């Protein structure tokens, strides 16, 4: 797993941009509706594999403001 805290901001932005440019499904771009989970499950799995999904926030997350 990549240590994103060790990356510079520029490197992190480059990583995110490259990932979305190559991996974000064309059929999900510019949707005119909020998709059902079944429509985006394959994308959600890619994000999860990348470590970019937060299945549950910590209980004290609301205090972050």
């Amino acid at each position: 797993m990549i240590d994103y805290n060790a990356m510079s901001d520029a490197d992190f932005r480059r990583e995110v941009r490259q990932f979305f440019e190559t991996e974000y499904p064309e059929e999900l771009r510019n949707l005119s509706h909020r998709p059902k989970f079944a429509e985006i499950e394959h994308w959600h799995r890619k994000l999860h594999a990348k470590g970019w999904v937060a299945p549950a926030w910590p209980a004290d997350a609301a205090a972050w403001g």
Side-chain angles (χ1 to χ4, degrees):
M1 179 79 76
I2 296 173
D3 180 2
Y4 293 109
N5 290 319
M7 295 175 84
S8 71
D9 288 349
D11 287 341
F12 178 72
R13 285 191 296 272
R14 199 172 7 264
E15 168 79 15
V16 172
R17 187 176 297 115
Q18 186 274 329
F19 178 76
F20 273 81
E21 286 174 354
T22 60
E23 300 294 331
Y24 192 66
E26 188 68 36
E27 69 272 12
L28 296 181
R29 299 174 191 211
N30 305 310
L31 290 177
S32 62
H33 66 284
R34 184 174 180 168
K36 303 273 192 245
F37 184 73
E39 294 176 89
I40 61 169
E41 184 174 1
H42 62 291
W43 172 240
H44 189 269
R45 289 185 186 281
K46 280 187 180 188
L47 291 173
H48 182 268
K50 190 84 169 153
W52 291 356
V53 174
W57 293 106
D60 64 348
W64 297 349

